């Protein structure tokens, strides 16, 4: 088997388990006698001249990288090379520069670890530039289609559960209702899974329309039943009663954030309860990877190298039915993995009396 030189990059928001995946790719590829080049800051590294890279070796990536948060390669979740924001406010197609940067590295294939947006962009670049590309799904949102789990999701859920574990005693001590706003973009996976595991009374997710009055009823019922505290988990993309997404502009990007405070204020008025709001934010991304993410990252990393070895490109590694598989990247572009309102978790949650405000 001819020696190969492969590239790897991380793209999109960081999450736990990225370094574990970079480590797995490097160890497996180097054991085959290949060279591994890490590309820094995703596609932005390929726009620089010379391209921004670091050579990766197994010695550099010891077992501490299984747990280490962040990504040693750096990442960006802005700067789509097909519509790159220029200083004068215009958008420029810089895809040819990225492809030329890749060419300068003389790589045989590229592994991209990213969410659905990044994987779609990387696939388009690969098609345009004739790049042999394999994708690895990562995102705390767990919204990549065709895979039950993406790297980083399990750790984010764990962080949200720990937050609920800490909110419950203070809620009980002060007779309060606590609202916890979690990330997840347009999918409610973090809110649903953490909410069930962390003992939430109400879980609001973007997939299920709710009414404020129904949530207020649940709070009143809890208090009428003699319990003095309540826990509410709300996913960041849940809309206001008027149907508006709560967003803000951060560094020129639109980001969700603030629905928790809206809910807290509204429920305080409707029920008279003392309500406090916690926005969990980026702590969901920065944690040490939990075992599930270390394992997923490791299995995905080695599988991605195997796909290159087998000459199978334009594919994404995925987790389905307790197995690592690979799927065509075409099947994930423009698709999203959202919470199934009729799925087993939803059914169990409803059977436990958890309210979804509907
Ligand atoms: O996609 C991951 C994610 O953390 C989302 O859950 C969240 O909406 C967004 O990224 C936050 O982006 P930023 O890091 O730009 O604030």
């Amino acid at each position: 088997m001819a020696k190969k030189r492969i590239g790897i990059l991380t793209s999109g928001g960081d999450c736990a388990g990225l370094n574990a995946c970079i480590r797995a790719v490097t160890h497996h590829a180097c054991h085959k006698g290949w060279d591994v080049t890490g590309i820094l800051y995703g596609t932005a590294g390929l726009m620089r001249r010379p391209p921004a890279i670091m050579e990766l070796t197994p010695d550099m990536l010891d077992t501490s990288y299984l747990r280490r948060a962040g990504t040693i390669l750096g990442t960006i979740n802005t700067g789509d090379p097909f519509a790159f924001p220029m200083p004068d406010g215009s958008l420029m197609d810089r895809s040819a520069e990225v492809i030329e940067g890749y060419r300068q590295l003389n790589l045989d294939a590229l592994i991209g670890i990213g969410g659905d947006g990044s994987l779609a962009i990387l696939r388009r670049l690969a098609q345009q530039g004739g790049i042999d590309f394999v994708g690895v799904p990562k995102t705390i949102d767990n919204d990549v289609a065709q895979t039950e789990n993406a790297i980083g999701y399990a750790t984010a859920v764990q962080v949200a559960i720990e937050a609920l574990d800490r909110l419950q005693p203070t809620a009980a001590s002060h007779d309060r209702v606590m609202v916890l706003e979690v990330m997840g973009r347009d999918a409610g996976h973090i809110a649903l899974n953490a909410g069930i595991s962390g003992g939430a009374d109400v879980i609001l997710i973007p997939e299920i329309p709710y009414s404020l009055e129904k949530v207020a009823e649940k709070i009143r019922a809890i208090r009428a039943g003699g319990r003095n505290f309540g826990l509410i988990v709300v996913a960041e993309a849940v809309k206001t009663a008027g149907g508006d997404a709560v967003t803000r502009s951060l560094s020129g990007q639109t980001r969700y954030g603030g629905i928790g405070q809206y809910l807290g204020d509204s429920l305080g008025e409707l029920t008279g309860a003392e309500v406090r709001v916690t926005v969990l934010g980026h702590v969901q991304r920065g944690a040490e990877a939990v075992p599930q993410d270390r394992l997923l990252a490791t299995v995905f990393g080695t599988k991605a190298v195997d796909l290159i070895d087998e000459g199978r490109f334009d594919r994404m590694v995925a987790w389905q039915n307790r197995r690592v598989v690979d799927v065509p990247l075409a099947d994930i572009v423009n698709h999203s993995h959202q919470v199934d309102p009729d799925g087993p978790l939803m059914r169990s949650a409803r059977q436990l009396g958890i309210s979804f405000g509907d």
Side-chain angles (χ1 to χ4, degrees), residues 65-135:
Y65 287 82
L66 279 168
R67 58 184 71 87
R68 190 181 292 198
T71 162
I72 54 163
L73 298 178
T75 188
I76 48 162
N77 65 356
T78 55
D80 174 355
F82 291 97
F84 193 86
M86 301 302 286
D88 66 0
S90 64
L91 296 176
M92 184 176 165
D93 183 352
R94 298 185 63 184
S95 56
E97 284 172 63
V98 173
I99 292 164
E100 171 54 23
Y102 178 82
R103 291 272 157 259
Q104 289 184 9
L105 297 175
N106 289 316
L107 298 172
D108 295 303
L110 177 67
I111 294 175
I113 312 173
D116 56 351
S118 296
L119 291 175
I121 289 170
L122 290 166
R123 177 171 192 250
R124 203 172 152 198
L125 286 166
Q127 286 179 326
Q128 185 173 312
I131 297 169
D132 286 337
F133 177 68
V134 171

Side-chain angles (χ1 to χ4, degrees), residues 13-14 77 138-141 183-185 190 236 250 253 255-256 282 285:
D14 76 319
N77 65 356
K138 68 86 219 167
T139 168
I140 66 165
D141 309 332
M183 284 184 165
R185 248 185 359 173
I190 298 177
E236 62 180 357
L250 296 170
Q253 305 286 316
R255 293 287 182 261
Y256 289 118
H282 293 79
R285 299 221 308 239

Side-chain angles (χ1 to χ4, degrees), residues 229-286:
F229 70 91
L231 293 179
I232 299 177
V233 181
V234 59
E236 62 180 357
V238 165
K239 295 189 165 75
T240 64
D244 298 319
V246 185
T247 59
R248 60 188 66 192
S249 178
L250 296 170
S251 327
Q253 305 286 316
T254 303
R255 293 287 182 261
Y256 289 118
I259 186 65
Q261 195 59 55
Y262 163 83
L263 263 185
D265 293 344
S266 310
L267 292 172
E269 272 172 33
L270 281 170
T271 64
E274 200 180 349
V275 187
R276 292 290 185 272
V277 177
T278 301
V279 180
L280 205 46
H282 293 79
V283 294
Q284 292 158 100
R285 299 221 308 239

Side-chain angles (χ1 to χ4, degrees), residues 8-356:
I8 179 168
L9 58 79
T10 47
S11 179
D14 76 319
C15 62
L18 294 177
N19 288 324
C21 188
I22 295 165
R23 172 180 179 267
V25 165
T26 304
H27 278 254
H28 188 32
C30 291
H31 289 159
K32 287 178 183 290
W34 301 359
D35 291 330
V36 182
T37 299
I39 296 162
L40 306 183
Y41 297 102
T43 50
L46 294 172
M47 286 180 190
R48 299 206 195 146
R49 295 294 176 268
I53 58 165
M54 72 194 278
E55 294 304 327
L56 298 172
T57 62
D59 293 352
M60 295 162 58
L61 294 162
D62 61 33
T63 50
S64 68
Y65 287 82
L66 279 168
R67 58 184 71 87
R68 190 181 292 198
T71 162
I72 54 163
L73 298 178
T75 188
I76 48 162
N77 65 356
T78 55
D80 174 355
F82 291 97
F84 193 86
M86 301 302 286
D88 66 0
S90 64
L91 296 176
M92 184 176 165
D93 183 352
R94 298 185 63 184
S95 56
E97 284 172 63
V98 173
I99 292 164
E100 171 54 23
Y102 178 82
R103 291 272 157 259
Q104 289 184 9
L105 297 175
N106 289 316
L107 298 172
D108 295 303
L110 177 67
I111 294 175
I113 312 173
D116 56 351
S118 296
L119 291 175
I121 289 170
L122 290 166
R123 177 171 192 250
R124 203 172 152 198
L125 286 166
Q127 286 179 326
Q128 185 173 312
I131 297 169
D132 286 337
F133 177 68
V134 171
V136 176
K138 68 86 219 167
T139 168
I140 66 165
D141 309 332
N142 207 29
D143 56 356
V144 179
Q146 299 291 335
T147 186
E148 287 155 22
N149 284 307
I151 297 169
Y153 165 63
T155 305
V157 170
Q158 178 65 29
V159 172
I161 291 169
E162 285 170 13
L164 288 168
D165 290 349
R166 286 163 174 72
L167 287 171
Q168 187 274 328
T170 175
S173 305
H174 285 265
D175 291 5
R176 282 176 174 163
V177 171
M178 293 292 187
V179 176
L180 177 68
E181 178 183 314
V182 298
M183 284 184 165
R185 248 185 359 173
D186 298 305
H189 298 291
I190 298 177
L192 177 63
N193 285 260
I196 295 172
S197 313
D201 302 294
V202 178
I203 302 173
L204 300 181
I205 57 176
E207 293 87 344
I208 301 181
Y210 72 100
S211 93
L212 275 175
E213 190 43 48
K214 284 272 165 54
V215 180
E217 261 171 37
K218 177 72 181 177
I219 303 297
R220 289 187 203 109
I222 291 169
R223 299 172 107 205
R227 177 144 62 83
N228 65 344
F229 70 91
L231 293 179
I232 299 177
V233 181
V234 59
E236 62 180 357
V238 165
K239 295 189 165 75
T240 64
D244 298 319
V246 185
T247 59
R248 60 188 66 192
S249 178
L250 296 170
S251 327
Q253 305 286 316
T254 303
R255 293 287 182 261
Y256 289 118
I259 186 65
Q261 195 59 55
Y262 163 83
L263 263 185
D265 293 344
S266 310
L267 292 172
E269 272 172 33
L270 281 170
T271 64
E274 200 180 349
V275 187
R276 292 290 185 272
V277 177
T278 301
V279 180
L280 205 46
H282 293 79
V283 294
Q284 292 158 100
R285 299 221 308 239
E288 275 195 354
V290 298
Q292 201 182 329
D293 274 329
R294 298 182 195 194
L295 295 173
L296 197 66
T298 302
V299 169
F300 277 178
T302 53
K303 175 77 174 175
V305 172
D306 285 344
L307 288 180
I308 293 176
D309 208 1
E310 293 158 13
R312 300 176 62 222
F313 302 109
D314 198 25
R315 304 193 69 80
M316 182 188 81
V317 300
W319 191 254
Q320 293 178 356
N321 301 320
R322 298 205 275 169
R323 284 178 196 283
V324 62
V325 298
D326 55 275
V327 297
L329 270 168
D331 290 356
I332 71 119
V333 174
N334 297 325
H335 291 85
S336 178
H337 167 219
Q338 291 200 297
V339 170
D340 174 2
D342 302 316
L345 273 185
M346 287 292 306
R347 270 202 306 281
S348 292
R350 288 191 192 278
Q351 285 160 350
L352 286 178
I354 295 173
S355 165
F356 289 89

